[in-house]
Amino acid sequence: MGKTSDLTAVQKTIIDTLHKEGKTQKVIAKEAGCSQSSVSKHINRQAKGQKKCGRKKCTSSRDNRTLQRIVTTNPFKNVGEIHKEWTAAGVSASRTTTRRLMKDMGFRCRIPCVKPLLNKKQRKKRLAWAKDKKDWTDAEWSKVMFSDESKFCISFGNQGPRVWRKSGEAQNPRCMRSSVKFPPSVMVWGAMSSAGVGPLCFLRSRVNAAVYQEVLEHFMLPAADQLYGDADFTFQQDLAPAHSAKTTSTWFKDHGIPVLDWPANSPDLNPIENLWGIVKRRMQYARPNNAEELKTTIRATWALITPEQCHRLIESMPRRITAVIEAKGGPTKY
C-alpha cells in the first residue's frame, strides 16, 4: 500500500465519496485499496481547506489601517493611549483587541535605542574622519588604547519609555530616542585595547582638567604598561572639556603619548562603549545596597572581561567606519 502522495485520482475520489457517506476509515481503506493512515492524511488535508468557524471580526480593514497609522505616527504611546485614540475615531473594540491587532501587525513593545543627537557639522566631521581611517588595518587599531567614562547606578530598572516598532526597525529614527550629554555625576573611568582591559578609576568629584590628568597619571599610564609594555601606542579619548583642555594636551606632549583625533559625539565608534554595555548587562540582577557594594560588583564584573572579547571589539572598527560612511556621517547600529 502506497503513501498519500501515491494515491491515484480514482482512489482519492473513492475516499472522498465514502467519507461523505460516513464510512469509517478502516472500511474506506479496504475499498480504496490503500493504508488507513493514507486515508486519514488525505481526509485531514482536505479538511484544512474548509472555512474557519468562529465569531466575525469586530474591525474592518479600514479600522485596522487606522490603528496602524496611529501606532506608526505615535510609536511612544502606550496601549491605553493608542486604544483611546483609536476608539475616538469611531472604532468599537476592546483594549485586548487593540493589543492583539498591534501584535498581529508585527508591532512589539521594545526599549528604544539611544543614539547621539548629531548636527550637520558633526555628521560632516564624522564622515571625513571615517574616510580618513577606512584603510586602517586590525594591526593599526590594536595599537590604540580606547578610554571612556561611564555612569553606574545602584538601580538599573529605570530605562525610560518604550516604543512600538516592528522587526528590523530598531535603527529607524522614528523609533529612537536622542541622547545628550550626561549631567555631572560620579563616574567610572576605564581603558581597553585588543590585549585586554586596564584598571578602573572611580571618580569622586566632577572631572575637570586637573582631575583628569591625575587619572591619566595614576591609571592610564599603569594600564599602558600592562597592555603594551614598552611598545608604542596611541591613546583615544572623546572631546569632553577636561580631555580637550590645553593643560591636558600639554600633559600628553610632555609624556610623549600621541592622541588619536576623534569626531565629536561619537560613542558608536568607541568599542569600550560596548564593553560598558556587557558589564551592565551582567550586573542587571545585582542588587548592591550602597556605593561601596556597587564598586565591588563593578570591579568583579570588569575583571571577568577576557582579552578575546576585547580583541573581537577592536576587530569591529573597520565595520564601524564602513557603517558611518554608509550613513553619511549619521548614527550607526553600534
Side-chain angles (χ1 to χ4, degrees):
M1 296 184 183
K3 300 179 180 179
T4 308
S5 58
D6 298 329
L7 293 175
T8 65
V10 175
Q11 287 177 315
K12 291 178 181 180
T13 302
I14 294 173
I15 293 172
D16 292 337
T17 303
L18 296 179
H19 179 62
K20 290 178 181 179
E21 294 177 358
K23 302 293 184 181
T24 64
Q25 292 184 5
K26 186 175 182 180
V27 173
I28 296 174
K30 186 176 181 181
E31 292 292 330
C34 61
S35 67
Q36 189 172 335
S37 63
S38 296
V39 173
S40 177
K41 290 178 181 179
H42 177 74
I43 293 174
N44 291 336
R45 185 173 297 167
Q46 294 295 103
K48 288 181 180 179
Q50 296 178 357
K51 293 184 179 180
K52 294 182 179 180
C53 301
R55 289 178 56 188
K56 184 180 178 181
K57 292 183 178 180
C58 64
T59 60
S60 64
S61 298
R62 182 176 181 179
D63 295 333
N64 295 345
R65 288 196 299 271
T66 301
L67 175 61
Q68 183 159 3
R69 184 171 63 252
I70 292 172
V71 179
T72 304
T73 306
N74 307 284
F76 287 91
K77 285 189 173 183
N78 58 41
V79 175
E81 294 170 329
I82 293 173
H83 174 255
K84 185 176 180 180
E85 184 175 345
W86 194 34
T87 53
V91 179
S92 178
S94 66
R95 180 168 172 164
T96 302
T97 299
T98 303
R99 178 183 287 276
R100 177 177 55 77
L101 286 174
M102 290 168 62
K103 186 176 180 180
D104 291 343
M105 292 174 185
F107 291 105
R108 299 293 184 270
C109 192
R110 298 287 187 261
I111 297 171
C113 295
V114 180
K115 294 296 180 181
L117 187 62
L118 297 166
N119 56 40
K120 291 183 179 180
K121 185 177 179 180
Q122 290 171 338
R123 287 172 180 260
K124 186 176 179 180
K125 288 187 176 181
R126 277 166 55 91
L127 181 59
W129 183 91
K131 289 181 177 179
D132 182 59
K133 301 292 188 295
K134 68 178 181 178
D135 295 325
W136 275 34
T137 63
D138 290 343
E140 290 175 294
W141 285 116
S142 68
K143 295 179 181 178
V144 178
M145 180 193 293
F146 292 89
S147 70
D148 189 33
E149 297 89 12
S150 185
K151 180 181 178 182
F152 283 79
C153 300
I154 289 179
S155 174
F156 296 95
N158 184 17
Q159 297 171 312
R162 289 180 170 251
V163 62
W164 290 99
R165 70 186 186 212
K166 296 182 179 181
S167 177
E169 290 186 336
Q171 302 302 319
N172 190 321
R174 180 181 59 81
C175 302
M176 293 162 58
R177 289 193 296 120
S178 296
S179 65
V180 296
K181 290 290 183 181
F182 289 107
S185 61
V186 176
M187 289 194 177
V188 184
W189 179 92
M192 67 165 289
S193 75
S194 61
V197 298
L200 292 176
C201 175
F202 292 92
L203 306 170
R204 297 184 178 181
S205 60
R206 181 171 181 173
V207 181
N208 54 30
V211 172
Y212 184 59
Q213 288 161 35
E214 288 292 320
V215 174
L216 296 175
E217 188 75 38
H218 299 292
F219 291 90
M220 190 275 282
L221 292 180
D225 290 337
Q226 174 186 329
L227 299 173
Y228 292 98
D230 296 330
D232 294 333
F233 73 96
T234 301
F235 185 68
Q236 179 278 334
Q237 60 181 1
D238 60 26
L239 300 184
H243 302 177
S244 56
K246 290 183 179 179
T247 55
T248 302
S249 299
T250 301
W251 187 94
F252 282 110
K253 289 180 182 178
D254 292 343
H255 288 77
I257 299 174
V259 178
L260 181 69
D261 60 302
W262 195 254
N265 218 4
S266 300
D268 54 337
L269 285 171
N270 194 345
I272 199 172
E273 291 286 352
N274 301 86
L275 211 57
W276 292 129
I278 292 172
V279 173
K280 290 179 179 179
R281 283 194 297 275
R282 289 180 176 178
M283 291 176 56
Q284 63 181 332
Y285 298 113
R287 292 295 179 265
N289 296 313
N290 51 54
E292 289 304 316
E293 289 185 9
L294 177 61
K295 290 179 182 179
T296 301
T297 305
I298 295 171
R299 287 192 186 97
T301 310
W302 183 257
L304 296 175
I305 299 297
T306 65
E308 289 76 19
Q309 287 176 299
C310 296
H311 185 70
R312 285 196 296 270
L313 287 174
I314 297 299
E315 284 185 328
S316 70
M317 286 304 298
R319 297 193 297 273
R320 294 170 191 263
I321 290 172
T322 300
V324 171
I325 294 174
E326 291 177 350
K328 298 181 180 179
T332 67
K333 66 178 182 179
Y334 296 96

